[in-house]
Amino acid sequence: MEKVYGYYRGIVEAYSLRVHNLTKKIHLFGTIRLLLVAGTMVAVWFLKDTNWQILTGTLFLFIIPFVALMMYHNFLAKRKVYAEELITAARNELKGLDYDFSAYDGAPDKISGEHSFSLDLDLFGERSFFQSLNRTVTHPGRERLVQWFQHPLSDKAEILRRQEAVQELATLTQLCQHFYVTGQLQSGEKNDTALLAYLTTPSSAFIRNKLWPVLIWLVPMLWVVILLMSLLELISPVIIAIYFPVSFLIAYCKIKNINEIHHKVNKMEHIFPSIPDYLKVLRITVLNPPN
């Protein structure tokens, strides 16, 4: 048991040091970005009377490193958040070793006297058997674990297979911690599964309509042609005044469908980013495919 305590204490110490170093780097590069902004303002002041080519080139000399530093700042910030979450997970495991499972969900909403032995064993709720084992970070994962508790296996072969899987995972502590932290950072919401089913259903015949893919290209192209011909005085500007309400009506007649699709895409962007992270963890650590 002392070995387990030492493992999690080691994580807390190592990643606390990492958080400290990352914080120092973030502050350093933030200071450099401020100096770049100040340098840009000074350079623009001194070069304000020069031609626009020199001024533009000078601005790019400051903007490019600023953008690069901003991207690196975001990278460091993500690593810092990950390290902080891993420290929290390790501390919670240390508390769990002392029988304090308050950091984990005990599924109190699943307490029911209908199950033959749920009340005797305290399957769900505070300080329950479920709470001591629950390390799920998504609602579907929580529900699956609840089902396993409510409907335990009875077939010997299936029980042995599950025991083998648990035994294999027990040797991959680092993977389990990484997977858990990745999930904690992007755990999603309770209704994500139902929402995903709704989002993947076609909105209407608008999506499958063959006319609209053509109009998407045709309307802007006609705008370009009309504007060019108007500039060359080949057509009257009245044509622009006529075409504007026509193109507006074409766009507006399907605005409801477009807004609905846009809403779905935004929701998908919230759900989908976590899935590649989970798969990446499993692919690299467990499957270890050849290059």
Side-chain angles (χ1 to χ4, degrees), residues 80-153:
K80 180 174 178 284
V81 170
Y82 177 88
E84 290 172 339
E85 191 62 44
L86 188 57
I87 291 170
T88 301
R91 286 174 175 165
N92 289 337
E93 292 294 345
L94 287 170
K95 291 180 180 179
L97 293 172
D98 294 327
Y99 301 101
D100 178 5
F101 303 108
S102 57
Y104 306 110
D105 177 21
D109 54 303
K110 302 297 181 179
I111 297 176
S112 173
E114 296 179 1
H115 198 284
S116 57
F117 52 83
S118 64
L119 294 179
D120 293 334
L121 292 180
D122 290 329
L123 282 185
F124 303 106
E126 294 301 315
R127 303 182 66 84
S128 63
F129 186 40
F130 179 86
Q131 189 181 41
S132 67
L133 296 180
N134 180 25
R135 299 297 183 273
T136 59
V137 289
T138 64
H139 184 70
R142 175 186 187 266
E143 291 300 304
R144 174 58 63 89
L145 187 60
V146 166
Q147 290 178 8
W148 286 359
F149 271 70
Q150 291 177 334
H151 307 286
L153 297 175

Side-chain angles (χ1 to χ4, degrees), residues 194 204 275 284:
S204 65
I275 297 175
I284 293 176

Side-chain angles (χ1 to χ4, degrees), residues 164-235:
E164 290 175 0
V166 172
Q167 186 176 8
E168 181 179 355
L169 286 173
T171 63
L172 301 171
T173 308
Q174 190 173 1
L175 165 66
C176 294
Q177 286 282 298
H178 181 38
F179 198 84
Y180 177 82
V181 171
T182 302
Q184 283 290 92
L185 294 176
Q186 305 185 52
S187 56
E189 299 176 0
K190 181 178 180 179
N191 65 336
D192 276 355
T193 304
L195 181 61
L196 190 59
Y198 161 72
L199 295 177
T200 52
T201 56
S203 299
S204 65
F206 166 66
I207 298 176
R208 299 184 295 271
N209 194 312
K210 295 181 179 180
L211 175 63
W212 284 97
V214 176
L215 290 176
I216 288 172
W217 291 96
L218 182 63
V219 172
M221 288 176 63
L222 284 176
W223 264 117
V224 173
V225 172
I226 290 173
L227 288 174
L228 286 175
M229 294 181 70
S230 177
L231 290 172
L232 296 173
E233 298 181 352
L234 297 176
I235 60 174

